[in-house]
């Protein structure tokens, strides 16, 4: 394991107030996004859409890396350029989703475990050959009554995350460790905090047990936030304060960066929360940034609607969100939108 190199890549991912563009939707998930704008789910449309995102001129000023899906890392944009080369031209590091999604967890009704460990070392070698510098694996923890999440589901998901992370580091990819506590449901913010804390404690225990080098990884957690259907959702300052307090208790300072997922927050909410976290304290032990999917793409997707003539507007929408989230990394978001 070359820890110097892994550490340098992880540092580069969070340098200069930049964040990640999560564009690694599986074919099924991007299908849902396309359905919302009445665009057919074809290979050509997926290439057109991802191609326009990666070619948005100036994206590299705000985005350090893009997470790709298996199809995309092998794919050409409509103009014939490899997607990976579009990114490299802008100084953006290519990354790759390597998990195979969630599957029902035997022995835990209503819960899931993320699969994809079989043959992973071989796939990591192949992705390194295709230009990937980092990888992503998402574990999903749902909050449901009664008794969900179980300790068992948290534990097996943490074990899989750590095995994935170790395999990636051995193969030369920086692992993004993503344990996502979902914001679906009507739970309150303190329930989210308790479940997120239990999850992160277990994840860092397993990372230790399996010898993962914390200096060469990135954590991609959820924020501590009220459930979407909660009747009195916590405000921006409370989300920021509770998220940072919890992360200080659970995430060792050797981890170079915490890059949040947006998880169904609106674009504005995701920016405001990131801004408040970076504005609330001068001396955070890790760099706090973003790795947003929906909260970077939603306006761009709506502007595009599958039409060539809308590409410039869609690119502008993406650049605008990326610029604002990078401003939020410096606690300058409110000044930018004022
Ligand atoms: P969202 O920001 O839309 O949650 O997507 C990020 C991601 O990569 C989820 O795995």
């Amino acid at each position: 394991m070359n820890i110097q190199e892994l550490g340098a890549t992880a540092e580069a991912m969070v340098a200069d107030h930049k964040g990640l563009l999560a564009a690694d939707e599986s074919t099924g998930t991007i299908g849902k996004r396309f359905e919302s704008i009445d665009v057919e789910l074809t290979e050509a449309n997926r290439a057109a859409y991802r191609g326009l995102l990666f070619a948005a001129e100036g994206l590299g000023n705000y985005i350090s890396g893009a997470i790709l899906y298996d199809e995309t890392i092998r794919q050409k944009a409509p103009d014939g350029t490899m997607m990976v080369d579009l990114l490299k031209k802008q100084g953006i590091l290519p990354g790759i989703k390597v998990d195979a999604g969630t599957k029902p967890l035997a022995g835990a009704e209503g819960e899931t475990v993320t699969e994809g460990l079989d043959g992973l070392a071989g796939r990591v070698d192949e992705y390194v050959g295709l230009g990937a510098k980092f990888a992503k694996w998402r574990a999903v923890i749902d909050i449901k009554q009664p008794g969900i999440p179980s300790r068992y589901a948290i534990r097996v998901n943490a074990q899989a995350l750590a095995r994935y992370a170790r395999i990636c580091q051995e193969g030369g990819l920086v692992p993004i460790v993503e344990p996502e506590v979902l914001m679906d449901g009507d739970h309150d913010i303190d329930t989210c905090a308790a479940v997120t804390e239990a999850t992160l404690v277990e994840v860092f225990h397993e990372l230790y047990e399996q010898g993962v080098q914390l200096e060469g990884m990135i954590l991609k957690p959820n924020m501590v936030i009220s459930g979407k259907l909660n009747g009195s959702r916590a405000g921006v300052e409370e989300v920021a304060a509770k998220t940072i307090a919890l992360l200080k208790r659970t995430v060792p300072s050797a981890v170079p960066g915490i890059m949040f997922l947006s998880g169904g927050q609106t674009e504005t909410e995701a920016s405001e929360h990131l801004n408040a976290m970076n504005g609330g304290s001068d001396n955070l032990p890790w760099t706090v940034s973003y790795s947003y999917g929906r909260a970077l793409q939603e306006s761009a997707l709506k502007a595009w609607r599958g039409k060539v003539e809308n590409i410039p507007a869609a690119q502008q929408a993406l650049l605008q969100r990326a610029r604002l989230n990078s401003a939020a990394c410096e606690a300058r978001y409110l000044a930018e939108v004022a």
Side-chain angles (χ1 to χ4, degrees):
M1 185 186 299
N2 185 341
I3 185 61
Q4 262 78 34
E5 208 172 291
L6 293 169
T9 301
E11 294 288 353
M13 290 163 73
V14 288
D16 304 326
H17 314 291
K18 292 182 191 180
L20 303 179
L21 169 61
D24 60 323
E25 300 86 357
S26 62
T27 304
T29 303
I30 198 69
K32 281 188 221 152
R33 309 275 187 266
F34 281 7
E35 210 180 300
S36 75
I37 53 163
D38 250 341
V39 167
E40 203 189 334
L41 182 63
T42 61
E43 198 268 342
N45 282 338
R46 292 192 294 275
Y49 177 61
R50 266 95 181 226
L52 82 84
L53 297 180
F54 303 156
E57 209 176 316
L59 191 64
N61 295 328
Y62 316 111
I63 296 293
S64 60
I67 318 175
L68 309 180
Y69 187 57
D70 180 77
E71 173 184 85
T72 323
I73 200 168
R74 309 167 189 280
Q75 198 174 34
K76 288 180 176 156
D79 73 355
T81 314
M82 290 297 290
M83 295 286 185
V84 168
D85 292 331
L86 283 182
L87 294 171
K88 285 187 190 160
K89 222 161 47 188
Q90 304 222 57
I92 298 172
L93 301 172
I96 182 76
K97 181 223 290 290
V98 300
D99 69 63
T102 57
K103 301 284 161 12
L105 173 59
E109 207 181 322
E111 297 189 274
T112 63
V113 63
T114 300
E115 295 194 347
L117 290 168
D118 288 353
L120 180 56
R123 285 190 290 129
V124 166
D125 283 348
E126 189 191 359
Y127 289 136
V128 167
L130 290 167
K133 299 292 177 199
F134 63 91
K136 181 192 111 168
W137 177 291
R138 171 176 176 257
V140 176
I141 304 295
D142 208 351
I143 298 179
K144 280 190 257 180
Q145 295 306 326
I148 292 182
S150 63
R151 302 282 328 168
Y152 170 55
I154 291 175
R155 190 166 66 245
V156 294
N157 273 293
Q159 285 167 346
L161 268 171
R163 281 200 61 202
Y164 137 82
R166 178 72 197 235
I167 291 167
C168 284
Q169 288 191 332
E170 304 248 339
L173 295 179
V174 169
I176 298 178
V177 172
E178 180 180 2
E180 176 174 6
V181 176
L182 296 179
M183 63 185 288
D184 297 346
D186 64 358
H187 55 270
D188 61 18
I189 187 170
D190 292 325
T191 304
C192 175
V195 172
T196 303
E197 184 164 8
T199 301
L200 290 176
V201 166
E202 195 66 31
V203 166
F204 280 95
H205 171 72
E206 281 298 329
L207 293 170
Y208 168 74
E209 289 289 345
Q210 299 194 41
V212 174
Q213 297 293 307
L214 301 183
E215 292 80 357
M217 64 162 271
I218 294 287
L219 180 71
K220 174 165 173 168
N222 54 285
M223 296 177 197
V224 173
I225 192 167
S226 316
K228 251 189 258 181
L229 301 176
N230 186 277
S232 54
R233 301 188 63 210
V236 172
E237 294 306 322
E238 187 177 354
V239 168
K242 288 189 168 168
T243 302
I244 291 297
L246 187 146
L247 292 171
K248 281 183 175 169
R249 288 200 295 271
T250 51
V251 183
S253 55
V255 173
I258 294 180
M259 305 184 90
F260 286 99
L261 60 92
S262 61
Q265 298 179 42
T266 65
E267 289 176 329
T268 312
E269 275 177 326
S271 299
E272 288 175 351
H273 288 145
L274 183 61
N275 189 68
M277 285 189 277
N278 278 300
S281 168
D282 284 338
N283 285 315
L284 295 175
W286 357 255
T287 303
V288 170
S289 176
Y290 60 96
S291 172
Y292 292 161
R294 284 163 284 180
L296 275 172
Q297 293 183 50
E298 192 159 333
S299 297
L301 199 60
K302 285 204 179 110
W304 176 53
R305 296 198 174 276
K307 297 197 164 56
V308 175
E309 62 270 27
N310 293 340
I311 288 177
Q315 290 177 324
Q316 282 313 309
L318 171 68
L319 289 168
Q320 161 86 343
R321 282 329 307 171
R323 184 176 63 76
L324 291 174
N325 284 313
S326 286
C329 289
E330 291 185 84
R332 281 195 306 100
Y333 171 75
L334 295 176
E336 287 283 319
V337 290

